[in-house]
Amino acid sequence: MLGLLIEEMKKISVDQTLNATLHAVRNLALHHRLQVMNELLAVPVPHPPQVVKSFQVIAKDSTLVMDLVNHLLQLLNYGLLYDEKGQGKDKKHTARPLVLSATAALGEVMQTDEMAGVVEEHYALIFGSLLLRVGTSQGQPDALKVIIEAFKSFLECAKEEALQEAVKAKDAWSRLDGAKYTDVITEIAAIVGREHPEHVAPLYRFLLPFMKGNYPGHRIVAACTLAEVPPDLNTTAQ
């Protein structure tokens, strides 16, 4: 059913008809949430406009948005993120298509005005997850490209002007590929700690378990970030 709707959207040129079809996608998601989300995620990146609009119409529904966000973050934080081949210095990582799709979808939904409130309310969860995904995208150019675009969408959605200016001034995006990426993580974490002290304790609580994460990227990012945003122990214990 969903596949047919997406195919039909490719042929639609009238906005009113397109909106009606997107309304049908949303209604389908209301009754078959996980199935619809997974069918959309099965579409490889870059997502065609029809898939982007479908993710966005789901995110605009207050009864669906957190199911979608939590599903995407579950895949990014706890799923199988990449395949390994080779050993030692010859080891290479290949990003899994599902994780690339989930990363892209997270960025796409944050391009909607309706996500601003969600990002504000769940800032630590979303920001922390994006940082972790940078760590687990190392050595995978396709994954880095997707996470950088998602991070840019987050900064726009959260209206992070100070952070946007700092990232631009320090040419941070180009430095996320390679051993020096931890410097960028530290710089970003320091700015967030300074600009948003209210998010420090939740960010600390979210990232702390990843110090013992299964992926080196999780452990490295968590260590870098937590070293830069030491919490108020009284608020962390709450």
Side-chain angles (χ1 to χ4, degrees):
M1 179 65 175
L2 179 61
L4 292 174
L5 289 173
I6 292 175
E7 285 301 314
E8 283 302 310
M9 278 192 278
K10 294 179 181 179
K11 309 170 188 175
I12 296 172
S13 57
V14 179
D15 287 346
Q16 187 175 2
T17 307
L18 178 60
N19 290 336
T21 308
L22 287 170
H23 184 73
V25 171
R26 190 200 67 178
N27 286 343
L28 191 61
L30 284 169
H31 295 92
H32 306 281
R33 301 185 183 199
L34 194 58
Q35 182 180 345
V36 168
M37 293 174 194
N38 285 337
E39 282 193 44
L40 290 171
L41 287 169
V43 178
V45 296
H47 291 151
Q50 299 79 20
V51 170
V52 174
K53 290 179 184 295
S54 296
F55 276 122
Q56 291 175 341
V57 78
I58 293 172
K60 291 178 180 181
D61 189 296
S62 61
T63 64
L64 291 171
V65 60
M66 284 314 300
D67 285 342
L68 174 59
V69 170
N70 285 330
H71 186 49
L72 297 177
L73 296 183
Q74 182 73 20
L75 292 171
L76 298 187
N77 293 330
Y78 306 105
L80 184 58
L81 303 180
Y82 51 73
D83 296 315
E84 291 185 354
K85 291 184 179 180
Q87 295 181 340
K89 294 182 179 180
D90 295 326
K91 183 181 291 185
K92 293 184 178 181
H93 297 157
T94 303
R96 293 204 138 216
L98 179 60
V99 178
L100 290 176
S101 189
T103 308
L106 183 60
E108 290 155 4
V109 299
M110 286 191 291
Q111 293 168 14
T112 65
D113 293 338
E114 289 81 358
M115 276 294 293
V118 174
V119 167
E120 174 60 28
E121 184 177 355
H122 302 279
Y123 188 100
L125 172 64
I126 296 173
F127 173 69
S129 298
L130 291 169
L131 289 181
L132 292 172
R133 186 68 190 119
V134 171
T136 57
S137 296
Q138 293 303 305
Q140 307 154 64
D142 50 350
L144 274 172
K145 180 179 178 181
V146 177
I147 184 56
I148 287 172
E149 290 305 311
F151 223 127
K152 289 178 179 178
S153 294
F154 169 80
L155 296 182
E156 286 288 339
C157 187
K159 296 179 174 58
E160 288 285 4
E161 294 180 3
L163 193 48
Q164 285 176 307
E165 291 176 4
V167 166
K168 183 177 180 180
K170 297 185 178 185
D171 196 24
W173 301 129
S174 66
R175 295 161 52 216
L176 281 178
D177 186 9
K180 295 290 185 179
Y181 87 92
T182 53
D183 293 343
V184 180
I185 297 294
T186 299
E187 293 163 5
I188 290 175
I191 294 170
V192 169
R194 182 178 69 246
E195 296 288 326
H196 300 291
E198 72 277 14
H199 294 314
V200 168
L203 182 62
Y204 188 93
R205 289 193 293 269
F206 170 69
L207 286 176
L208 187 60
F210 290 96
M211 291 284 288
K212 298 180 180 179
N214 293 327
Y215 291 97
H218 280 167
R219 299 191 294 271
I220 292 169
V221 167
C224 290
T225 306
L226 296 183
E228 203 59 41
V229 288
D232 181 330
L233 294 180
N234 291 324
T235 58
T236 304
Q238 293 177 2

